[in-house]
């Protein structure tokens, strides 16, 4: 028995599959997989992640206009526009706990079903009430899919490949965020709102169908785990108390929120900003350029996500974010706008993946769902506060002060990091 145990330990340390089924068992319980980076399950989760993100992103640029067309007042249309994200903020802690306690396949399937129901609601809606209900259902479904799929994927990755693996996940989300709105606007202009919502429905159904073919159902951690799990911070067996957030991840929550605020304010107000300043630029190209640059950066830097410490990315991305905001403040032509989009990709775009992978690496064993939900709370807050702060600045200050005021977020990021830096470097580095 002693010799067998020794052989088992050596197999784990060397990354080889032991002769018994312990390695496969560990993988099915969601923590320790083989060193193979790409396999059928991972590819399917990446495909499903594209579909679940494409669905609401296709609807987002259309929902305010559609609400107005069925009789919603101006104030209500604004509430409807942000209702999905507000609902997500409330749901994240609950979904994070459920993800750590139940099969990730089941939670993701529930999310896909709810998203499908929401899309059907948009299609048949003839008054604002049904749209409001559909947005709430959409928010719950989106919370389930986003937290669950990112946790599901992270549990299939070797610990030393989480950075690059989550970079791929972020790349699929970025691709959906770039492609889906363009598809939605084109279908709406050619065939109307209902046709566009039918395309969103197809993405929701595709999410549910894709995960049916994933063999690893993402079962929760069990109390018996191999000794290879020493790298994780252990949680006492049997602890079942409900936790709203992972305190280790709260600095990450604050950092990603601050990175997201200027980007999301830009998302909402860049058209109005350029019109008010009477700048002759092709503003519709800003986000496609951002998405293309982000995809290139993530492909080129994929190995760096696993090698470099968090502080390197934070400093580099802070500089990029500041440059991007500064270029938007002085923008006079397409060249400056394209450069601003490039620096935004190097700032907010890169830090989305870095913050999420760091949150996962900081998580206690069996608590990656909670860590993921804590990360997403920061992202949701940034996506909610960005338009709100942008609206306040746009309505109450001279337009020339719009981006200089948003630039305040960068020193705040550095301050958050200085006060929390000791707890933000996972043991990998």
């Amino acid at each position: 028995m002693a010799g067998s145990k020794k052989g088992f330990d050596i197999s784990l340390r060397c990354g080889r599959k032991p002769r018994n089924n312990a390695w496969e068992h560990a993988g099915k319980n969601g923590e320790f997989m083989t060193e193979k980076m790409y396999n059928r399950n991972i590819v399917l989760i990446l495909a499903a992640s594209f579909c679940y993100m494409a669905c609401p992103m296709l609807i987002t640029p259309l929902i305010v206009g559609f609400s107005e067309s069925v009789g919603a007042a101006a104030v209500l249309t604004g509430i409807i526009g942000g209702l999905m994200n507000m609902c997500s903020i409330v749901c994240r802690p609950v979904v994070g706990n459920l993800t750590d306690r139940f099969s990730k396949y089941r939670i993701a399937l529930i999310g896909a079903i709810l998203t499908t129901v929401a899309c059907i609601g948009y299609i048949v809606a003839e008054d604002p009430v049904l749209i409001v209900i559909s947005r709430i259902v959409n928010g719950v479904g989106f919370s389930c899919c986003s937290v669950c799929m990112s946790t599901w994927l992270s549990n299939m990755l070797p610990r030393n490949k989480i950075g690059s693996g989550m970079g791929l996940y972020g790349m699929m989300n970025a691709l959906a965020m770039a492609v889906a709105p363009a598809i939605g606007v084109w279908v709406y202009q050619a065939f109307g709102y209902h046709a566009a919502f039918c395309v969103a429905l197809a993405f929701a159904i595709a999410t549910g169908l894709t995960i049916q073919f994933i063999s690893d159902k993402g079962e929760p951690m069990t109390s018996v785990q191999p000794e290879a799990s020493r790298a994780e911070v252990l949680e006492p067996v049997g602890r079942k108390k409900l936790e709203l957030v992972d305190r280790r991840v709260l600095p990450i929550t604050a950092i990603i929120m601050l990175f997201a605020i200027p980007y999301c304010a830009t998302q909402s107000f860049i058209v109005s900003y350029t019109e008010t300043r009477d700048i002759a630029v092709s503003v519709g190209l800003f986000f496609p350029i951002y998405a293309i640059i982000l995809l290139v950066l993530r492909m080129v830097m994929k190995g760096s996500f696993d090698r470099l410490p968090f502080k390197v990315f934070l400093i580099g991305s802070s500089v990029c974010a500041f440059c991007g905001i500064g270029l938007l403040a002085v923008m006079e032509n397409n060249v400056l706008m394209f450069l601003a989009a490039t620096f935004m990709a190097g700032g907010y775009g890169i830090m989305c993946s870095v913050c999420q992978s760091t949150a996962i690496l900081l998580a206690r064993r069996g608590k990656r769902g909670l860590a993921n939900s804590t990360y997403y709370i920061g992202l949701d807050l940034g996506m909610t506060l960005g338009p709100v702060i942008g609206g306040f600045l746009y309505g109450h200050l001279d337009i020339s002060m719009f981006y200089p005021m948003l630039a305040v977020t960068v020193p705040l990021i550095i301050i958050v990091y200085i006060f929390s830096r000791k707890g933000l470097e996972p043991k990998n580095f």
Side-chain angles (χ1 to χ4, degrees), residues 247-316:
R247 288 179 294 175
R248 294 174 176 84
V249 183
L250 285 177
I252 297 291
T253 302
I255 287 170
I256 194 59
M257 179 191 72
L258 291 168
F259 269 108
I261 286 172
Y263 175 82
C264 295
T266 299
Q267 222 175 15
S268 299
F269 288 94
I270 189 169
V271 174
S272 301
Y273 174 79
T274 55
E275 289 175 351
T276 303
R277 287 192 57 202
D278 195 24
I279 305 171
V281 293
S282 304
V283 70
L285 294 177
F286 181 88
F287 292 104
I289 293 294
Y290 165 89
I292 292 169
I293 297 298
L294 182 56
L295 291 175
V296 172
L297 285 174
R298 280 180 168 152
M299 291 303 293
V300 171
M301 298 174 62
K302 61 180 181 179
S304 302
F305 290 118
D306 297 313
R307 294 195 309 267
L308 299 178
F310 180 80
K311 65 181 177 182
V312 172
F313 287 105
L314 182 125
I315 293 170

Side-chain angles (χ1 to χ4, degrees), residues 19 26-27 38 46 75 81 108 158 165 235 248 270-271 282 284 287-288 305 315 321 328-329 358 361 368 400 407 427:
R19 293 182 180 179
Y38 304 102
L46 290 174
V75 174
E235 177 79 358
R248 294 174 176 84
I270 189 169
V271 174
S282 304
F287 292 104
F305 290 118
I315 293 170
L328 287 169
T358 302
L361 290 169
R368 284 182 175 176
S400 63
K427 299 302 182 181

Side-chain angles (χ1 to χ4, degrees), residues 37-48:
M37 178 67 178
Y38 304 102
N39 58 48
R40 179 171 171 268
N41 286 338
I42 288 176
V43 171
L44 287 170
I45 284 189
L46 290 174

Side-chain angles (χ1 to χ4, degrees), residues 1 4 7 9 31 40 55 129 181 204 214 261 285 306 312-313 354 380 392 398 409 423:
M1 289 296 291
S4 174
D9 288 341
E31 289 293 331
R40 179 171 171 268
C55 178
V129 174
I214 299 173
I261 286 172
L285 294 177
D306 297 313
V312 172
F313 287 105
V354 172
D380 286 334
F392 177 83
D398 185 84
T409 56

Side-chain angles (χ1 to χ4, degrees), residues 23-158:
W23 187 271
E24 287 109 331
H25 177 73
K28 288 176 182 176
N29 281 291
E31 289 293 331
F32 302 99
M33 300 299 289
T34 62
E35 292 297 316
K36 186 177 180 181
M37 178 67 178
Y38 304 102
N39 58 48
R40 179 171 171 268
N41 286 338
I42 288 176
V43 171
L44 287 170
I45 284 189
L46 290 174
S49 72
F50 174 87
C51 292
Y52 96 75
M53 181 62 74
C55 178
M57 291 301 108
L58 188 152
I59 293 168
T60 296
L62 307 178
I63 195 65
V64 170
F66 177 64
S67 302
E68 192 174 14
S69 72
V70 296
V75 174
L76 182 57
T77 60
I79 293 172
I80 288 172
L83 190 57
M84 191 187 83
N85 285 332
M86 287 187 281
C87 183
S88 293
I89 293 173
V90 175
C91 292
R92 296 290 188 194
V94 176
V95 174
N97 280 276
L98 291 176
T99 300
D100 289 326
R101 299 183 185 196
F102 297 96
S103 162
K104 291 157 190 63
Y105 161 77
R106 292 180 183 178
I107 304 296
L109 182 60
I110 290 171
I113 291 171
L114 290 175
T115 304
T116 300
V117 170
C119 289
I120 294 172
Y122 300 138
I123 293 169
V124 302
E126 295 181 351
D127 59 74
V129 174
L130 185 53
I131 298 176
V132 169
I133 295 171
S134 298
R135 291 299 277 173
I136 293 171
V137 173
N138 207 161
V140 177
F142 182 72
S143 295
C144 290
C145 287
S146 56
V147 173
C148 186
M149 287 195 191
S150 54
T151 305
W152 200 358
L153 175 64
S154 72
N155 287 349
M156 291 184 182
L157 296 167

